[in-house]
Every structure is written in C-alpha cells, then in structure tokens.
Amino acid sequence: MSPAHALQPSLAVREVSQGQATPAATAEDLLAAADTARSAGRRSESVALLRRLLSQHRDDARAPLAAFTLGRILLMELAQPGEAALAFAEVRALAPAGPFAEDALAREAEAWNKPADPGKAAERAREYLRLYPYGRRAGSLQGLTGIK
C-alpha cells in the first residue's frame, strides 16, 4: 500500500459518505485496514475490522488469515486468551486442512491454558497430538495433555 493510499479513508472505515452509503468493503479492504490500524497501535480498531471481515466475508479465502490474526492480537497484544482461543478455533472451522490449521490448533490449546481452563487446553493438546504426532508444536503441547 502506498503512503498516499494509507492516508485516505478506506471503505472499511467509512460506512456513509455525505448521507450516501458507500460500496461494501471487500475482504481485501478490511484486511488492509486492520493491518494499518494494528501497525498504528489501534489494536481495538484492528480487532473490530477483522471481526467484520469474518462476519461479512466468511467464504473469502482471506477469512482464515483474518481469524488467525485476530487470535494473535487477542492473545499476545490484548491479553484476552478466551477470545483468542475462539478465534483460533474459527481458523480451523473455516479451513480445517488449510495452511494455518495446525498452528491454530496449537495456539488454541495454549490460549485455553492461559485463562486456567486446563480441561479445554488438555483436550485441544490431545487433538493436536492425534492429528499432528510429529508436528512442530508436539513437544511443547505434550505438557498440556494431562497425561503423565
């Protein structure tokens, strides 16, 4: 995105212009606006834009990326692990065999472990190990399974 384009109000941010409805924001518009907001430190705005993308463009190929990004922001930047876990679960609901599915499941287990829900964390960790026994995160999730 060019610097000049970044300064223009995007379709994702403006809903109505001078009393007339603007065209609906595309998934691409919303994802770009969310990235811009996050880069500028406006995390809550970024979260709202990502949630809007997921609500309005569930069938778009960018939706799993939006859900994954939402989970990361909620977990790592806003300290909302329960909400993050739900976002990571959404990644897998949108694209169960997609490129983010494995990491989303691992992060969901870790997120459930943060709000002290060891049952959900163990369940997701066991699911990860069942699906990805030699996965990148297998070693770190073994401790969450509750199995000695």
Side-chain angles (χ1 to χ4, degrees):
M1 178 184 326
S2 70
H5 181 62
L7 296 175
Q8 297 173 346
S10 73
L11 293 176
V13 176
R14 56 188 164 96
E15 289 293 320
V16 177
S17 174
Q18 299 174 355
Q20 297 177 338
T22 60
T26 66
E28 183 178 12
D29 291 336
L30 292 167
L31 196 55
D35 286 344
T36 299
R38 186 170 149 246
S39 294
R42 299 187 315 269
R43 291 170 191 86
S44 295
E45 180 181 338
S46 183
V47 164
L49 290 163
L50 291 167
R51 284 187 169 144
R52 182 170 160 208
L53 186 156
L54 291 167
S55 171
Q56 295 177 359
H57 303 284
R58 289 188 63 73
D59 295 333
D60 190 273
R62 295 169 196 85
L65 172 61
F68 192 85
T69 303
L70 175 61
R72 287 189 66 217
I73 294 169
L74 290 167
L75 183 63
M76 299 167 61
E77 298 177 30
L78 296 178
Q80 297 178 16
E83 290 292 315
L86 296 175
F88 289 127
E90 185 74 5
V91 172
R92 294 183 314 114
L94 292 165
F100 302 108
E102 179 182 348
D103 200 30
L105 180 54
R107 289 176 184 252
E108 181 185 354
E110 292 168 350
W112 281 125
N113 195 46
K114 296 210 183 264
D117 193 333
K120 284 185 183 178
E123 183 180 305
R124 294 304 180 266
R126 286 192 297 271
E127 183 178 359
Y128 179 93
L129 293 170
R130 181 180 60 77
L131 294 171
Y132 311 103
Y134 303 104
R136 295 182 307 271
R137 309 286 293 278
S140 65
L141 292 175
Q142 186 65 45
L144 297 182
T145 64
I147 301 170
K148 305 275 180 193

